[in-house]
Amino acid sequence: MIQPPRRWTRDITQALPPEYADQMFTAREQGATEQQLQHIATDGLARMYFRANNSRAHGLGVEFTDVERLDIEL
């Protein structure tokens, strides 16, 4: 019997550098889609959370899948 891949749920609280907020505000003002905004957030999380500000895990691919909720605070 083939087992389906295991899905992981993760709650992440991570501060992102201001450049990501700038990118998100600019993109939103230019009519970006939700998917485009999530891509910017994914890049920021990949850099700061998964790659520790690009000091480890170089080349690690990160993607948002099955996002239930995304809260952004300034």
Side-chain angles (χ1 to χ4, degrees), residues 21-44:
D22 291 342
Q23 288 178 32
M24 291 185 80
F25 280 125
T26 300
R28 188 177 68 178
E29 288 173 0
Q30 294 175 351
T33 65
E34 198 64 29
Q35 183 179 13
Q36 291 167 320
L37 294 172
Q38 279 189 12
H39 180 72
I40 295 168
T42 299
D43 287 346

Side-chain angles (χ1 to χ4, degrees), residues 15-25 47-48 74:
L16 300 180
E19 65 206 55
Y20 290 97
D22 291 342
Q23 288 178 32
M24 291 185 80
F25 280 125
R47 174 181 161 191
M48 300 306 296
L74 301 177

Side-chain angles (χ1 to χ4, degrees), residues 4 11 20-21 25 33 39 51 61 63-64 71-72:
D11 293 325
Y20 290 97
F25 280 125
T33 65
H39 180 72
R51 295 188 201 116
E63 63 182 45
F64 275 176
D71 294 326
I72 298 175

